[in-house]
Amino acid sequence: MSHRHIILLDMDGVIVNFIDGIIKSLGLDLSHDDWATWDHHEKLGISKSAFWRATHEKDWWRSLLPYPWASELVRELKKDYEVVYCTSPSLDSSCPSQKIEWLRDYCFMGMENAYQIGPMKCLNARSGAILIDDYDVNVDNYRMAGGRAITFPQAWNSAGVSEDRVGHIMKELEALRCSG
């Protein structure tokens, strides 16, 4: 790994369109931007177990599509940063390997192992890396642990929807760079 600064880039909700995948799997009549809160399924009367059970279908994680901005975001980040994909798996034992395969299938990662899988993203906060994540709790925990983080704009978080998500992230990174 080079000596460039590191971006810990979340996958689901940032480059992987988890929401459209879960909407389709649950047969919901919603659009992506209708998913207004992190646990929106609870507002719809769907239990946590039923929600996650939908993701246990064979190759479910691997079948998700990238967001339209995913390649541009990664390309822009890689100009100035080392990108390490940092993602939390579900309880399905095949989920971690499917996420790695997804990164390779969509050419975000070659044979290098530029990923970390686990829910405790805040453990990386002292590494000098910057976390980019769509889950406010992960961003807050990372900051409380002493790290720098950016909330990726989505309808279900405090950043809200942005028409230019890549531009938003690049402006936020520039602001962090200027602040030290």
mmCIF file of all heavy atoms in Angstrom, residues 75-102:
data_model
loop_
_atom_site.group_PDB
_atom_site.id
_atom_site.type_symbol
_atom_site.label_atom_id
_atom_site.label_comp_id
_atom_site.label_asym_id
_atom_site.label_seq_id
_atom_site.Cartn_x
_atom_site.Cartn_y
_atom_site.Cartn_z
ATOM 1 N N ARG A 75 -13.081 6.688 -9.055
ATOM 2 C CA ARG A 75 -12.025 7.248 -9.911
ATOM 3 C C ARG A 75 -11.516 8.576 -9.339
ATOM 4 O O ARG A 75 -10.306 8.806 -9.255
ATOM 5 C CB ARG A 75 -12.571 7.421 -11.330
ATOM 6 C CG ARG A 75 -11.533 7.816 -12.362
ATOM 7 C CD ARG A 75 -12.084 7.826 -13.797
ATOM 8 N NE ARG A 75 -13.389 8.470 -13.957
ATOM 9 C CZ ARG A 75 -14.544 7.833 -14.144
ATOM 10 N NH1 ARG A 75 -14.576 6.516 -14.190
ATOM 11 N NH2 ARG A 75 -15.674 8.502 -14.290
ATOM 12 N N GLU A 76 -12.412 9.460 -8.923
ATOM 13 C CA GLU A 76 -12.014 10.757 -8.351
ATOM 14 C C GLU A 76 -11.258 10.570 -7.038
ATOM 15 O O GLU A 76 -10.253 11.239 -6.797
ATOM 16 C CB GLU A 76 -13.241 11.655 -8.141
ATOM 17 C CG GLU A 76 -13.821 12.198 -9.424
ATOM 18 C CD GLU A 76 -12.834 13.052 -10.207
ATOM 19 O OE1 GLU A 76 -12.181 13.922 -9.613
ATOM 20 O OE2 GLU A 76 -12.711 12.830 -11.429
ATOM 21 N N LEU A 77 -11.739 9.677 -6.195
ATOM 22 C CA LEU A 77 -11.059 9.438 -4.916
ATOM 23 C C LEU A 77 -9.650 8.891 -5.119
ATOM 24 O O LEU A 77 -8.716 9.284 -4.419
ATOM 25 C CB LEU A 77 -11.877 8.479 -4.050
ATOM 26 C CG LEU A 77 -13.210 9.004 -3.526
ATOM 27 C CD1 LEU A 77 -13.996 7.882 -2.851
ATOM 28 C CD2 LEU A 77 -13.006 10.180 -2.588
ATOM 29 N N LYS A 78 -9.509 7.980 -6.088
ATOM 30 C CA LYS A 78 -8.212 7.341 -6.310
ATOM 31 C C LYS A 78 -7.155 8.295 -6.860
ATOM 32 O O LYS A 78 -5.978 7.973 -6.841
ATOM 33 C CB LYS A 78 -8.364 6.120 -7.231
ATOM 34 C CG LYS A 78 -8.978 4.936 -6.507
ATOM 35 C CD LYS A 78 -9.017 3.707 -7.390
ATOM 36 C CE LYS A 78 -9.492 2.499 -6.599
ATOM 37 N NZ LYS A 78 -9.448 1.263 -7.382
ATOM 38 N N LYS A 79 -7.566 9.475 -7.327
ATOM 39 C CA LYS A 79 -6.585 10.462 -7.794
ATOM 40 C C LYS A 79 -5.697 10.942 -6.650
ATOM 41 O O LYS A 79 -4.516 11.213 -6.857
ATOM 42 C CB LYS A 79 -7.294 11.663 -8.427
ATOM 43 C CG LYS A 79 -7.907 11.369 -9.777
ATOM 44 C CD LYS A 79 -8.612 12.595 -10.323
ATOM 45 C CE LYS A 79 -9.253 12.328 -11.666
ATOM 46 N NZ LYS A 79 -10.000 13.508 -12.168
ATOM 47 N N ASP A 80 -6.265 11.065 -5.457
ATOM 48 C CA ASP A 80 -5.521 11.621 -4.329
ATOM 49 C C ASP A 80 -5.436 10.709 -3.120
ATOM 50 O O ASP A 80 -4.730 11.026 -2.160
ATOM 51 C CB ASP A 80 -6.165 12.945 -3.875
ATOM 52 C CG ASP A 80 -6.051 14.017 -4.932
ATOM 53 O OD1 ASP A 80 -4.963 14.168 -5.517
ATOM 54 O OD2 ASP A 80 -7.063 14.697 -5.193
ATOM 55 N N TYR A 81 -6.153 9.594 -3.127
ATOM 56 C CA TYR A 81 -6.236 8.745 -1.947
ATOM 57 C C TYR A 81 -6.091 7.274 -2.316
ATOM 58 O O TYR A 81 -6.408 6.875 -3.435
ATOM 59 C CB TYR A 81 -7.596 8.919 -1.247
ATOM 60 C CG TYR A 81 -7.863 10.322 -0.783
ATOM 61 C CD1 TYR A 81 -8.528 11.229 -1.623
ATOM 62 C CD2 TYR A 81 -7.464 10.751 0.472
ATOM 63 C CE1 TYR A 81 -8.786 12.527 -1.199
ATOM 64 C CE2 TYR A 81 -7.717 12.045 0.899
ATOM 65 C CZ TYR A 81 -8.376 12.930 0.057
ATOM 66 O OH TYR A 81 -8.621 14.214 0.470
ATOM 67 N N GLU A 82 -5.664 6.504 -1.356
ATOM 68 C CA GLU A 82 -5.732 5.053 -1.442
ATOM 69 C C GLU A 82 -7.142 4.685 -0.979
ATOM 70 O O GLU A 82 -7.566 5.100 0.095
ATOM 71 C CB GLU A 82 -4.697 4.425 -0.515
ATOM 72 C CG GLU A 82 -4.546 2.947 -0.648
ATOM 73 C CD GLU A 82 -3.792 2.549 -1.899
ATOM 74 O OE1 GLU A 82 -2.926 3.312 -2.355
ATOM 75 O OE2 GLU A 82 -4.088 1.464 -2.416
ATOM 76 N N VAL A 83 -7.907 3.954 -1.772
ATOM 77 C CA VAL A 83 -9.274 3.596 -1.408
ATOM 78 C C VAL A 83 -9.292 2.175 -0.851
ATOM 79 O O VAL A 83 -8.820 1.241 -1.486
ATOM 80 C CB VAL A 83 -10.227 3.714 -2.622
ATOM 81 C CG1 VAL A 83 -11.617 3.180 -2.276
ATOM 82 C CG2 VAL A 83 -10.306 5.160 -3.100
ATOM 83 N N VAL A 84 -9.839 2.060 0.363
ATOM 84 C CA VAL A 84 -10.037 0.774 1.005
ATOM 85 C C VAL A 84 -11.537 0.651 1.254
ATOM 86 O O VAL A 84 -12.137 1.524 1.882
ATOM 87 C CB VAL A 84 -9.264 0.677 2.343
ATOM 88 C CG1 VAL A 84 -9.578 -0.638 3.056
ATOM 89 C CG2 VAL A 84 -7.767 0.821 2.109
ATOM 90 N N TYR A 85 -12.144 -0.394 0.731
ATOM 91 C CA TYR A 85 -13.575 -0.599 0.898
ATOM 92 C C TYR A 85 -13.808 -1.140 2.304
ATOM 93 O O TYR A 85 -13.179 -2.098 2.725
ATOM 94 C CB TYR A 85 -14.110 -1.551 -0.180
ATOM 95 C CG TYR A 85 -13.839 -0.997 -1.549
ATOM 96 C CD1 TYR A 85 -12.726 -1.397 -2.286
ATOM 97 C CD2 TYR A 85 -14.667 -0.021 -2.082
ATOM 98 C CE1 TYR A 85 -12.452 -0.851 -3.527
ATOM 99 C CE2 TYR A 85 -14.403 0.534 -3.325
ATOM 100 C CZ TYR A 85 -13.292 0.120 -4.035
ATOM 101 O OH TYR A 85 -13.022 0.676 -5.258
ATOM 102 N N CYS A 86 -14.691 -0.479 3.013
ATOM 103 C CA CYS A 86 -14.935 -0.790 4.423
ATOM 104 C C CYS A 86 -16.436 -1.029 4.581
ATOM 105 O O CYS A 86 -17.223 -0.090 4.504
ATOM 106 C CB CYS A 86 -14.456 0.386 5.274
ATOM 107 S SG CYS A 86 -14.399 0.050 7.037
ATOM 108 N N THR A 87 -16.828 -2.278 4.776
ATOM 109 C CA THR A 87 -18.245 -2.623 4.739
ATOM 110 C C THR A 87 -18.609 -3.566 5.870
ATOM 111 O O THR A 87 -17.785 -4.363 6.322
ATOM 112 C CB THR A 87 -18.597 -3.241 3.362
ATOM 113 O OG1 THR A 87 -20.003 -3.402 3.266
ATOM 114 C CG2 THR A 87 -17.882 -4.549 3.133
ATOM 115 N N SER A 88 -19.827 -3.444 6.305
ATOM 116 C CA SER A 88 -20.350 -4.299 7.362
ATOM 117 C C SER A 88 -21.192 -5.402 6.732
ATOM 118 O O SER A 88 -22.081 -5.117 5.930
ATOM 119 C CB SER A 88 -21.192 -3.457 8.321
ATOM 120 O OG SER A 88 -21.631 -4.246 9.396
ATOM 121 N N PRO A 89 -20.955 -6.655 7.085
ATOM 122 C CA PRO A 89 -21.738 -7.739 6.498
ATOM 123 C C PRO A 89 -23.041 -7.980 7.252
ATOM 124 O O PRO A 89 -23.203 -7.565 8.393
ATOM 125 C CB PRO A 89 -20.807 -8.948 6.658
ATOM 126 C CG PRO A 89 -20.098 -8.661 7.946
ATOM 127 C CD PRO A 89 -19.895 -7.159 7.965
ATOM 128 N N SER A 90 -23.941 -8.671 6.604
ATOM 129 C CA SER A 90 -25.139 -9.155 7.293
ATOM 130 C C SER A 90 -24.739 -10.420 8.060
ATOM 131 O O SER A 90 -23.574 -10.828 8.033
ATOM 132 C CB SER A 90 -26.237 -9.470 6.281
ATOM 133 O OG SER A 90 -25.917 -10.653 5.562
ATOM 134 N N LEU A 91 -25.703 -11.069 8.693
ATOM 135 C CA LEU A 91 -25.410 -12.311 9.425
ATOM 136 C C LEU A 91 -25.319 -13.530 8.513
ATOM 137 O O LEU A 91 -24.960 -14.611 8.956
ATOM 138 C CB LEU A 91 -26.469 -12.540 10.503
ATOM 139 C CG LEU A 91 -26.496 -11.484 11.608
ATOM 140 C CD1 LEU A 91 -27.611 -11.789 12.601
ATOM 141 C CD2 LEU A 91 -25.161 -11.371 12.308
ATOM 142 N N ASP A 92 -25.611 -13.347 7.225
ATOM 143 C CA ASP A 92 -25.489 -14.426 6.251
ATOM 144 C C ASP A 92 -23.999 -14.704 6.040
ATOM 145 O O ASP A 92 -23.234 -13.808 5.670
ATOM 146 C CB ASP A 92 -26.158 -14.005 4.944
ATOM 147 C CG ASP A 92 -26.036 -15.045 3.845
ATOM 148 O OD1 ASP A 92 -25.553 -16.164 4.104
ATOM 149 O OD2 ASP A 92 -26.426 -14.724 2.710
ATOM 150 N N SER A 93 -23.588 -15.932 6.274
ATOM 151 C CA SER A 93 -22.160 -16.257 6.195
ATOM 152 C C SER A 93 -21.568 -16.072 4.796
ATOM 153 O O SER A 93 -20.360 -15.913 4.658
ATOM 154 C CB SER A 93 -21.915 -17.695 6.677
ATOM 155 O OG SER A 93 -22.588 -18.614 5.841
ATOM 156 N N SER A 94 -22.397 -16.059 3.758
ATOM 157 C CA SER A 94 -21.865 -15.869 2.405
ATOM 158 C C SER A 94 -21.725 -14.385 2.036
ATOM 159 O O SER A 94 -21.135 -14.055 1.013
ATOM 160 C CB SER A 94 -22.737 -16.580 1.375
ATOM 161 O OG SER A 94 -23.970 -15.915 1.211
ATOM 162 N N CYS A 95 -22.250 -13.506 2.856
ATOM 163 C CA CYS A 95 -22.248 -12.077 2.531
ATOM 164 C C CYS A 95 -20.835 -11.507 2.326
ATOM 165 O O CYS A 95 -20.596 -10.839 1.322
ATOM 166 C CB CYS A 95 -23.004 -11.299 3.605
ATOM 167 S SG CYS A 95 -22.995 -9.511 3.384
ATOM 168 N N PRO A 96 -19.880 -11.747 3.249
ATOM 169 C CA PRO A 96 -18.550 -11.151 3.029
ATOM 170 C C PRO A 96 -17.909 -11.555 1.703
ATOM 171 O O PRO A 96 -17.387 -10.702 0.983
ATOM 172 C CB PRO A 96 -17.734 -11.657 4.227
ATOM 173 C CG PRO A 96 -18.755 -11.903 5.292
ATOM 174 C CD PRO A 96 -19.961 -12.422 4.550
ATOM 175 N N SER A 97 -17.961 -12.836 1.367
ATOM 176 C CA SER A 97 -17.326 -13.265 0.113
ATOM 177 C C SER A 97 -18.070 -12.697 -1.091
ATOM 178 O O SER A 97 -17.444 -12.341 -2.094
ATOM 179 C CB SER A 97 -17.248 -14.783 0.026
ATOM 180 O OG SER A 97 -18.538 -15.362 0.048
ATOM 181 N N GLN A 98 -19.399 -12.574 -1.015
ATOM 182 C CA GLN A 98 -20.153 -11.989 -2.120
ATOM 183 C C GLN A 98 -19.796 -10.518 -2.312
ATOM 184 O O GLN A 98 -19.725 -10.033 -3.445
ATOM 185 C CB GLN A 98 -21.653 -12.121 -1.884
ATOM 186 C CG GLN A 98 -22.172 -13.527 -2.074
ATOM 187 C CD GLN A 98 -23.669 -13.560 -1.975
ATOM 188 O OE1 GLN A 98 -24.354 -12.872 -2.729
ATOM 189 N NE2 GLN A 98 -24.189 -14.357 -1.046
ATOM 190 N N LYS A 99 -19.540 -9.802 -1.217
ATOM 191 C CA LYS A 99 -19.162 -8.391 -1.334
ATOM 192 C C LYS A 99 -17.797 -8.251 -2.014
ATOM 193 O O LYS A 99 -17.604 -7.367 -2.849
ATOM 194 C CB LYS A 99 -19.168 -7.715 0.039
ATOM 195 C CG LYS A 99 -20.574 -7.471 0.544
ATOM 196 C CD LYS A 99 -20.551 -6.716 1.865
ATOM 197 C CE LYS A 99 -21.963 -6.347 2.268
ATOM 198 N NZ LYS A 99 -22.031 -5.025 2.869
ATOM 199 N N ILE A 100 -16.870 -9.126 -1.674
ATOM 200 C CA ILE A 100 -15.547 -9.108 -2.321
ATOM 201 C C ILE A 100 -15.695 -9.444 -3.803
ATOM 202 O O ILE A 100 -15.109 -8.778 -4.663
ATOM 203 C CB ILE A 100 -14.586 -10.088 -1.620
ATOM 204 C CG1 ILE A 100 -14.312 -9.620 -0.184
ATOM 205 C CG2 ILE A 100 -13.278 -10.219 -2.414
ATOM 206 C CD1 ILE A 100 -13.672 -10.675 0.692
ATOM 207 N N GLU A 101 -16.488 -10.463 -4.107
ATOM 208 C CA GLU A 101 -16.723 -10.837 -5.506
ATOM 209 C C GLU A 101 -17.377 -9.683 -6.263
ATOM 210 O O GLU A 101 -17.040 -9.426 -7.424
ATOM 211 C CB GLU A 101 -17.594 -12.096 -5.583
ATOM 212 C CG GLU A 101 -16.875 -13.332 -5.093
ATOM 213 C CD GLU A 101 -17.797 -14.514 -4.846
ATOM 214 O OE1 GLU A 101 -19.043 -14.382 -4.995
ATOM 215 O OE2 GLU A 101 -17.277 -15.582 -4.483
ATOM 216 N N TRP A 102 -18.315 -8.972 -5.625
ATOM 217 C CA TRP A 102 -18.973 -7.833 -6.250
ATOM 218 C C TRP A 102 -17.951 -6.770 -6.634
ATOM 219 O O TRP A 102 -17.984 -6.235 -7.752
ATOM 220 C CB TRP A 102 -20.035 -7.246 -5.306
ATOM 221 C CG TRP A 102 -20.859 -6.182 -5.925
ATOM 222 C CD1 TRP A 102 -22.074 -6.326 -6.512
ATOM 223 C CD2 TRP A 102 -20.540 -4.784 -6.041
ATOM 224 N NE1 TRP A 102 -22.538 -5.119 -6.992
ATOM 225 C CE2 TRP A 102 -21.605 -4.155 -6.707
ATOM 226 C CE3 TRP A 102 -19.471 -4.003 -5.649
ATOM 227 C CZ2 TRP A 102 -21.620 -2.789 -6.996
ATOM 228 C CZ3 TRP A 102 -19.470 -2.640 -5.922
ATOM 229 C CH2 TRP A 102 -20.541 -2.047 -6.591
#
